């Protein structure tokens, strides 16, 4: 069964690049990997999604190695407003059912 | 103004009462989801629906029920059988079930007294 693992917390300073890795063992070939940002008492907000290699958008990059057993969310030049919890999500189709596996989240603290 | 709405934002109920949480979307999405989040924890899937009149149990469906009579609406009922219902409940929708960005509502914080 697919399971995701993330670091519990990370600290950074304004202007630095932050890389958060999610391990997803037994990910199937048809899974997408999605990352979300969540502020306290709010719904998660989509950041980026990928299937393989590298994906980049205006806010982040996502790196997925060839074996797809992990993925790394890269936030360039973080600011104080990036302090939040970041979750990876893996979707897995098993026979006739569909499983959505959220990681437990990485709490990022950005310091001045 | 397109989006996904949940109401109410805060809800209080007495133990033993059933309560229904509302979720509405005007994004024309086929798939909808309900998650539960406990303090300091990640999201756990309660139920999901990939199309009208169809829904499937997620990882923690016991003590919950849903309906999907309209594409726009996916209400969640927390029954008295749910042993620890106090939590933050999040509804989401996506174009289709797989491989698509999920849009989340603002959440409902349920407190059972």
């Amino acid at each position: 069964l697919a399971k995701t693992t993330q670091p519990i917390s990370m600290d950074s300073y304004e202007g630095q690049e932050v890389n958060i890795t999610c391990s997803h063992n037994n990910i199937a070939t048809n899974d997408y990997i999605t990352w979300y940002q969540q502020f306290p008492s709010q719904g998660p907000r989509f950041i980026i999604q990928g299937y393989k290699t590298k994906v980049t958008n205006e806010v982040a990059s996502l790196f997925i190695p060839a074996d797809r057993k992990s993925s790394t969310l890269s936030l360039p030049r973080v600011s104080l407003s990036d302090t939040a919890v970041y979750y990876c999500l893996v979707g897995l189709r098993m026979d006739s059912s569909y499983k959505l596996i959220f990681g437990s989240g990485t709490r990022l603290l950005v310091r001045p | 103004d397109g989006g996904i709405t949940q109401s109410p934002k805060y809800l209080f109920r007495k133990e033993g009462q059933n309560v229904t949480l509302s979720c509405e979307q005007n994004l024309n999405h086929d798939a909808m989801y309900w998650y539960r989040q406990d303090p300091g924890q990640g999201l756990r899937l309660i139920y999901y629906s990939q199309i009208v009149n169809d829904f499937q149990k997620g990882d923690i469906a016991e003590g919950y029920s849903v309906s999907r009579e309209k594409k726009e609406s996916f209400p969640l009922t927390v029954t008295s059988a749910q042993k620890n219902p106090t939590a933050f409940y999040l509804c989401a929708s996506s174009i289709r079930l797989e491989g698509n960005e999920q849009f989340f509502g603002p959440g409902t914080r349920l407190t059972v007294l």
Side-chain angles (χ1 to χ4, degrees):
Chain A
L1 181 64
K3 178 186 172 186
T4 61
T5 305
Q6 302 177 232
I8 294 174
S9 63
M10 296 181 71
D11 277 18
S12 183
Y13 290 93
E14 278 191 295
Q16 289 187 332
E17 178 184 79
V18 171
N19 295 307
I20 305 173
T21 296
C22 176
S23 298
H24 20 80
N25 63 324
N26 297 327
I27 186 172
T29 55
N30 59 341
D31 289 0
Y32 282 87
I33 301 153
T34 311
W35 283 82
Y36 291 84
Q37 176 193 57
Q38 187 180 29
F39 298 109
S41 298
Q42 294 185 22
R45 186 173 68 99
F46 173 89
I47 302 174
I48 197 166
Q49 182 182 68
Y51 182 75
K52 61 181 179 181
T53 62
K54 178 184 175 182
V55 179
T56 298
N57 62 21
E58 62 274 10
V59 298
S61 293
L62 179 61
F63 299 91
I64 304 169
D67 65 7
R68 298 191 351 110
K69 292 188 176 182
S70 66
S71 60
T72 298
L73 172 71
S74 180
L75 304 172
R77 298 179 299 282
V78 294
S79 63
L80 297 178
S81 62
D82 292 319
T83 293
V85 181
Y86 293 82
Y87 293 95
C88 62
L89 169 66
V90 173
L92 169 63
R93 177 162 286 284
M94 299 171 63
D95 300 323
S96 60
S97 68
Y98 186 64
K99 299 280 281 185
L100 284 164
I101 314 293
F102 264 97
S104 54
T106 297
R107 194 171 299 272
L108 174 64
L109 174 62
V110 179
R111 302 178 187 275
Chain B
D1 196 19
I4 179 164
T5 58
Q6 293 183 242
S7 62
K9 190 166 178 61
Y10 299 96
L11 189 55
F12 297 88
R13 279 293 182 270
K14 290 183 178 179
E15 193 172 344
Q17 290 182 333
N18 290 358
V19 59
T20 297
L21 281 58
S22 167
C23 177
E24 303 279 333
Q25 54 97 1
N26 61 2
L27 301 167
N28 200 32
H29 286 172
D30 282 327
M32 297 187 74
Y33 316 80
W34 273 105
Y35 294 91
R36 171 185 172 133
Q37 188 173 37
D38 293 292
Q41 304 296 313
L43 283 73
R44 292 186 290 168
L45 183 64
I46 305 173
Y47 268 99
Y48 65 95
S49 166
Q50 57 181 326
I51 202 165
V52 174
N53 293 322
D54 174 79
F55 50 83
Q56 304 292 331
K57 292 181 179 180
D59 297 322
I60 55 165
E62 185 175 347
Y64 300 97
S65 65
V66 294
S67 62
R68 187 86 188 277
E69 297 175 2
K70 298 188 298 182
K71 187 175 188 177
E72 305 79 21
S73 180
F74 191 41
L76 173 75
T77 297
V78 185
T79 75
S80 56
Q82 169 50 234
K83 295 192 179 350
N84 187 17
T86 294
F88 188 47
Y89 290 89
L90 286 156
C91 180
S93 71
S94 62
I95 295 172
R96 288 180 301 278
L97 182 62
E98 298 180 37
N100 290 111
E101 172 186 353
Q102 291 187 31
F103 292 79
F104 282 83
T108 293
R109 188 167 299 280
L110 172 65
T111 302
V112 176
L113 307 171

